[in-house]
Structure formats: structure tokens, C-alpha cells
Amino acid sequence: MADFKILGRDSKLRKSILKALSDDYSRSIMNFTIEQPKSVVDIVKGCDIPMTTAYRRVNELEENKILKVTGSVVTDDGKKYFLYQNRLKSIYVIFGLEELDVQIVENEGMGTSAYW
């Protein structure tokens, strides 16, 4: 059974989640990275997002603690890139009379790395 966390009204994470949910690109990235860590190149291809937009959104989501770097890969030609995964498995937004609650379920099945 999932452990829900209710975010406080003044929570920075709550504000970041609501902002991210209102953006199509951020929502796509969040959804695409729930199950497995993905590189920005994978995100660009899988979500059909322009490269610069993907980098901008991924950086914003990471700064706001929605995405987490779970590892890195070095290619044969020496280039290093990071793998990102959504920290949140589920988000519930409950809107009612003078009330807006945000509840989250953390992504317990996140990939782990010896480096991060």
C-alpha cells in the first residue's frame, strides 16, 4: 500500500509540483521518467521535445527536487551524461471549497547508483 504524504501550503515542493503539472513538457518528462532513469537524449526522443527545452525543463525539475540524478554513463567517445528519474510515483491534487491539497507518493522503485 502506498504511503501518502500531504504537502503543506507553504511547501516549496508543493508549489513546484503545481507549476510542473501545468506545463505539458514538464508533465511529459515526469511521466516518462517514473519507471526507469532516462537521459536527456532519451527524453527528447521519447517525449518529442526540443533539445533545449528538454534540458531547461530537466534542470528546473531537478532543482525543484522532482527529478533526481540516479547515475551517469560514459560513452565510448568519452562523453558523460546523467540519468534522471522522477522522485514521485503519484501526485494527487484535491481541489475543493477554499482548499487545495497536494498529496504525493514517493517513487520507492527508483534506480540506484553507486555514485549517487
Side-chain angles (χ1 to χ4, degrees):
M1 180 151 185
D3 290 328
F4 290 93
K5 288 186 179 181
I6 299 173
L7 302 178
R9 288 187 128 171
D10 296 329
S11 166
K12 182 180 177 190
L13 180 58
R14 178 182 188 257
K15 292 175 185 174
S16 298
I17 288 170
L18 292 173
K19 180 181 176 189
L21 290 175
S22 70
D23 180 73
D24 289 338
Y25 290 137
S26 294
R27 262 195 333 271
S28 293
I29 293 168
M30 291 167 62
N31 190 49
F32 191 66
T33 59
I34 287 176
E35 293 297 324
Q36 298 227 335
K38 308 284 184 182
S39 69
V40 175
V41 172
D42 292 336
I43 292 168
V44 166
K45 291 176 184 174
C47 298
D48 194 28
I49 299 174
M51 184 69 77
T52 55
T53 302
Y55 272 105
R56 194 176 314 117
R57 293 304 193 289
V58 164
N59 286 332
E60 185 177 300
L61 292 168
E62 183 189 8
E63 285 175 12
N64 290 316
K65 309 285 189 234
I66 295 171
L67 291 185
K68 179 180 180 178
V69 175
T70 59
S72 63
V73 175
V74 179
T75 63
D76 291 338
D77 59 352
K79 293 182 182 178
K80 181 178 179 180
Y81 62 92
F82 295 107
L83 301 175
Y84 298 90
Q85 190 165 9
N86 194 336
R87 291 175 175 259
L88 310 172
K89 188 73 162 182
S90 301
I91 301 167
Y92 298 91
V93 178
I94 301 155
F95 177 75
L97 188 60
E98 297 183 28
E99 185 176 347
L100 179 65
D101 286 337
V102 177
Q103 301 175 3
I104 60 170
V105 176
E106 291 183 341
N107 196 351
E108 299 296 329
M110 289 185 67
T112 55
S113 167
Y115 302 105
W116 304 97

